[in-house]
Amino acid sequence: MYDIKTVLKATSVQEALKLLGDNEDATIIDGGTDVLIRMKERKLKNATLISIQDIGELYGVTILENGDILIGPGTNFTDIEENSIIQKHIPVLGYACSQVGSPQIRNIATIGGNICNGAVSADSVPSLLALDAILEISSPDDTRLIPIRQFHTGPGKTILKKQKELLTKIIIPKDSYENHGANYIKFGQRNAMEISTLGCAVNLSLSDDKKTIEDYRIALGVASSTPIRCPFLEEKVRGMDIGEELFKTIRREVLHEVNPRDSWRASKELRIQLIKELSRRATKQAILNAGGTV
């Protein structure tokens, strides 16, 4: 069933990068929930797997002295959902992680794998986009910091250089969550263990009197060929008063920045309706979470 040539184990980031460079077409594996499916479907044959499960620095959630939150890409979804730092400061990400698969999957699947797999339906990615997450990418020679909105380049594609780079940190800047309210909504045809038909995350802050949108970020999954932010809508919404005109604007203007497609899971027309409605609903709940009224 699983056509495996060899399994190599790395105990440090640099060792993993060296093994990548020394083994052409090797595949990184941690939780393995995506890799093993590819192997079962015979999309990955004669596989050389590089396990990064023993690299301790890739796990856990910490808050830095400057208030930024650091998430190890090897951290599984259950640990993120239940982490006290996540629950206190960015519960939207914890909730998004709780929407992934079954409890058994969440106990082993990693947030880094969810990001690097490049799926447009990845549940964690819209919230990370709305939180302006920054990704640290390591190579044998150096590291670089990339905004997550620049990471995905197409369906199943990312900017990671094959055989040369590894995602090593996920950083949530303090300015992206402090005094903000956020919400994530996932729509699926079933209530459990369903791949997202559409996902919408909103992260915003309000004026001191709680009547005006001060900062606004909206991200969508399965609304285009990659998970996306909507910068033109965001700019239009900033400074608007909370009221029906705000929600009408969101429903109308969000459609200018999306490109949903037909699939066996949902039609383009259904996704357009979901984009409009979920954008409105997620914004309303984010306002409430930020201490406002609607």
Side-chain angles (χ1 to χ4, degrees):
M1 182 181 296
Y2 299 112
D3 187 0
I4 300 175
K5 179 181 178 181
T6 187
V7 178
L8 306 170
K9 293 187 177 182
T11 56
S12 70
V13 169
Q14 285 303 312
E15 184 180 7
L17 291 168
K18 185 178 186 306
L19 289 172
L20 268 178
D22 292 344
N23 294 273
E24 186 176 357
D25 296 326
T27 299
I28 292 289
I29 187 168
D30 194 340
T33 53
D34 290 317
V35 172
L36 293 178
I37 289 173
R38 287 169 55 203
M39 295 180 69
K40 184 176 181 180
E41 294 176 346
R42 309 295 291 175
K43 295 177 181 177
L44 180 60
K45 302 176 183 178
N46 195 31
T48 295
L49 303 179
I50 299 174
S51 171
I52 57 173
Q53 287 184 329
D54 293 334
I55 305 178
E57 65 190 275
L58 297 182
Y59 297 88
V61 179
T62 56
I63 189 162
L64 306 179
E65 288 187 6
N66 66 357
D68 291 354
I69 295 172
L70 175 62
I71 303 172
T75 311
N76 69 50
F77 289 118
T78 297
D79 286 346
I80 292 173
E81 177 189 357
E82 296 178 353
N83 183 271
S84 60
I85 294 171
I86 300 292
Q87 291 175 351
K88 179 179 179 180
H89 297 290
I90 46 174
V92 63
L93 182 60
Y95 175 75
C97 290
S98 77
Q99 299 301 294
V100 177
S102 65
Q104 294 90 337
I105 293 294
R106 294 193 293 275
N107 285 342
I108 192 169
T110 67
I111 191 168
N114 203 227
I115 296 168
C116 294
N117 191 43
V120 297
S121 58
D123 280 307
S124 67
V125 173
S127 295
L128 290 169
L129 278 165
L131 288 163
D132 272 335
I134 298 169
L135 306 180
E136 181 190 83
I137 298 171
S138 295
S139 69
D141 301 320
D142 59 14
T143 61
R144 55 183 177 141
L145 297 176
I146 301 293
I148 192 172
R149 62 182 178 274
Q150 297 177 10
F151 186 73
H152 298 93
T153 59
K157 297 180 180 180
T158 73
I159 63 170
L160 280 179
K161 295 176 182 177
K162 188 174 175 62
Q163 310 309 124
K164 291 184 178 181
E165 293 185 320
L166 191 67
L167 173 63
T168 47
K169 290 179 184 176
I170 303 162
I171 303 163
I172 310 297
K174 180 181 179 180
D175 290 345
S176 295
Y177 70 81
E178 189 176 49
N179 300 319
H180 282 64
N183 186 236
Y184 174 67
I185 302 177
K186 171 182 178 176
F187 180 89
Q189 299 292 350
R190 302 183 303 173
N191 290 329
M193 294 178 60
E194 174 69 342
I195 294 174
S196 177
T197 300
L198 195 96
C200 178
V202 169
N203 181 32
L204 57 80
S205 65
L206 304 177
S207 58
D208 291 341
D209 63 7
K210 305 297 183 183
K211 294 182 178 180
T212 303
I213 304 294
E214 192 170 83
D215 185 25
Y216 184 78
R217 306 168 201 174
I218 182 169
L220 295 158
V222 209
S224 189
S225 59
T226 66
I228 59 168
R229 282 272 294 270
C230 300
F232 296 106
L233 172 61
E234 292 173 357
E235 185 63 30
K236 188 175 286 287
V237 166
R238 292 186 185 109
M240 290 190 70
D241 292 337
I242 298 170
E244 282 308 308
E245 186 58 35
L246 168 68
F247 302 116
K248 288 179 182 178
T249 298
I250 290 169
R251 283 177 58 90
R252 180 180 67 249
E253 298 297 329
V254 71
L255 297 182
H256 297 308
E257 299 185 73
V258 300
N259 185 27
R261 62 180 178 87
D262 287 309
S263 73
W264 65 269
R265 199 176 301 280
S267 67
K268 178 178 180 177
E269 289 74 17
L270 174 59
R271 285 198 169 97
I272 286 173
Q273 293 303 313
L274 289 171
I275 289 166
K276 293 192 294 185
E277 185 60 21
L278 267 59
S279 297
R280 181 186 68 85
R281 292 187 188 184
T283 300
K284 280 193 171 183
Q285 187 59 53
I287 290 170
L288 294 174
N289 292 345
T293 57
V294 294

